[in-house]
Amino acid sequence: TLVLRASCTASATQLGGVQVALHFDPTRLLAIGVEPVAGGPFPTEMGEAIDNTNGTITYSTGIDLSATTGMTAASNLFDITFVALDAPTVCNSNSLVTFGNVGAHSTRFIDMSANPVPAIIGALPYLRVDSQGPAISGVMSNATVPTDAGSTYGGYVAQPTVTATDDC
């Protein structure tokens, strides 16, 4: 499972919501859902559409209708949950999830008067996705273990090699 958290820096404009359009690699990721961050500035979901065939997500969330002021502070906004598919390993890729237009949807904020406010989008960090288990840590690189050569445990290996990897 991979969870991407969207956040934003402080804004001079009071913001009432955010609309997001994302593309993702559907051969490596399965989108499960999008949820506003608990305690975040935009708790009211207004729309969510996930297309795992084409690898797109559109999502809209905003302030509570009773709010009289919008968000201006840096905040965590929402979480997108993916599952890594059984596919070739992708290590340090920045193309698995990207912002972009999806139909008429684009990524932007909405001010308190319902006017669009362009979002300045930072590059997503490199993602590390594989469908393998975690790497094994703390394994000795070699050891000498005396054994009875005539038993089922067989002789001993003076310099065993142990390889543990997560494919990255």
Side-chain angles (χ1 to χ4, degrees), residues 1-166:
T1 302
L2 169 70
V3 178
L4 293 178
R5 174 162 284 177
S7 60
C8 68
T9 59
S11 170
T13 303
Q14 289 189 22
L15 301 174
V18 64
Q19 173 181 289
V20 178
L22 292 168
H23 294 270
F24 63 93
D25 184 341
T27 66
R28 291 185 168 77
L29 298 172
L30 175 70
I32 300 299
V34 187
E35 296 290 328
V37 172
F42 304 136
T44 305
E45 289 184 311
M46 297 173 188
E48 174 182 332
I50 296 174
D51 182 340
N52 279 307
T53 301
N54 293 316
T56 60
I57 297 173
T58 57
Y59 181 71
S60 300
T61 185
I63 61 172
D64 188 317
L65 294 175
S66 64
T68 57
T69 60
M71 182 211 70
T72 56
S75 300
N76 291 322
L77 304 175
F78 56 87
D79 292 331
I80 306 171
T81 304
F82 294 97
V83 171
L85 298 175
D86 187 16
T89 298
V90 176
C91 302
N92 299 327
S93 174
N94 62 356
S95 62
L96 289 180
V97 180
T98 57
F99 290 97
N101 294 334
V102 176
H105 293 272
S106 62
T107 300
R108 61 187 178 187
F109 289 99
I110 307 298
D111 70 14
M112 294 298 288
S113 299
N115 297 311
V117 177
I120 300 170
I121 301 168
L124 292 173
Y126 281 115
L127 302 178
R128 182 178 166 154
V129 176
D130 62 33
S131 55
Q132 307 297 315
I136 300 171
S137 60
V139 176
M140 295 181 297
S141 61
N142 59 54
T144 300
V145 182
T147 61
D148 176 357
S151 74
T152 58
Y153 295 105
Y156 83 91
V157 178
Q159 296 182 356
T161 300
V162 177
T163 303
T165 180
D166 65 358

